[in-house]
Amino acid sequence: MEPFVLASEHVRLSVPTYADVDAITAACQDPAVAEWTVVPVPYERRHAESFVRYHVAEGWAKGSVCTWAVRAPGDADGPLIGMVGLTCEGTPAEERAGELGFWMTPDARGKGLCTEASRLVLDWALDPDGLGLSVVTWVAYVGNWASRRVAWRLGFRHEATLRRHGLQRGVRRDAWVGTILPEDPREPNEPWPARAPARHRGVGEHVSVSEHP
């Protein structure tokens, strides 16, 4: 599969390149990225180089992982402000599934950009004229309320809390799991959990466990 651009009025999604290596390295110094994803710690420039060279390039070539850098809108690529990825499984001869992951740089959070960027990817993934996936899953470690809020806004249904489901740098962590189907509305389908911390009752965007450089 050849990389392509997805765009809206507020974001432009294009393939990460070597020009983004320094920005990726800087973004992955953020404690929140380390806390909620599986990035190496400490995160070094060589990790970002490997991410672009292998994870991104091979994922697109095989059609197994589609990764976009989130940027400001425009006709040309601007600075990287986040990342959205879709991991796919299955063959064209069977019903296929995917898993959505995302993260944003600190300065880009709280503006609705993560939700908008993720919606572009999700709509393409579930559209019969796009990937035509039968289901897309979202996974986040328990406690990542900002990631859960993005998934909630996109219409993911929280299905379960799975004990020790996620493996992070050799340690098992409990995880939330949500799903969305092609026929589901792309809007909240259940009340926002009353037990969520007060600081996550408003606008909040963070990182999900599955998209990692």
Side-chain angles (χ1 to χ4, degrees), residues 19-85:
D20 299 309
V21 164
D22 287 339
I24 294 170
T25 304
C28 291
Q29 307 309 307
D30 176 25
V33 174
E35 181 179 6
W36 299 120
T37 75
V38 296
V39 298
V41 176
Y43 194 90
E44 302 174 357
R45 194 176 194 276
R46 61 186 176 89
H47 296 127
E49 292 174 343
S50 178
F51 170 70
V52 171
R53 181 176 181 180
Y54 297 109
H55 181 86
V56 174
E58 292 183 5
W60 276 105
K62 296 176 180 178
S64 57
V65 185
C66 303
T67 306
W68 289 267
V70 183
R71 312 177 193 275
D75 295 330
D77 288 352
L80 179 147
I81 59 173
M83 202 83 70
V84 179

Side-chain angles (χ1 to χ4, degrees), residues 17-191:
T17 70
Y18 278 104
D20 299 309
V21 164
D22 287 339
I24 294 170
T25 304
C28 291
Q29 307 309 307
D30 176 25
V33 174
E35 181 179 6
W36 299 120
T37 75
V38 296
V39 298
V41 176
Y43 194 90
E44 302 174 357
R45 194 176 194 276
R46 61 186 176 89
H47 296 127
E49 292 174 343
S50 178
F51 170 70
V52 171
R53 181 176 181 180
Y54 297 109
H55 181 86
V56 174
E58 292 183 5
W60 276 105
K62 296 176 180 178
S64 57
V65 185
C66 303
T67 306
W68 289 267
V70 183
R71 312 177 193 275
D75 295 330
D77 288 352
L80 179 147
I81 59 173
M83 202 83 70
V84 179
L86 183 76
T87 302
C88 304
E89 61 179 48
T91 69
E94 59 190 16
E95 290 190 344
R96 304 181 67 200
E99 182 176 328
L100 181 72
F102 45 80
W103 58 259
M104 300 294 285
T105 60
D107 290 345
R109 295 173 192 157
K111 302 175 182 178
L113 300 178
C114 187
T115 301
E116 185 159 348
S118 297
R119 192 183 304 279
L120 289 172
V121 174
L122 187 64
D123 286 346
W124 169 74
L126 294 173
D127 191 328
D129 293 327
L131 276 186
L133 299 183
S134 292
V135 59
V136 174
T137 302
W138 157 85
V139 180
Y141 297 133
V142 170
N144 191 351
W145 286 102
S147 177
R148 181 163 173 173
R149 191 168 185 87
V150 172
W152 175 76
R153 284 176 169 168
L154 292 171
F156 279 88
R157 179 171 306 199
H158 180 245
E159 302 284 5
T161 299
L162 301 181
R163 295 180 297 171
R164 300 182 182 177
H165 175 74
L167 181 64
Q168 183 189 45
R169 296 184 286 275
V171 178
R172 288 282 173 185
R173 297 183 62 175
D174 297 347
W176 289 322
V177 178
T179 60
I180 189 168
L181 308 181
E183 61 268 26
D184 291 339
R186 309 289 197 270
E187 60 186 23
N189 58 71
E190 54 193 348

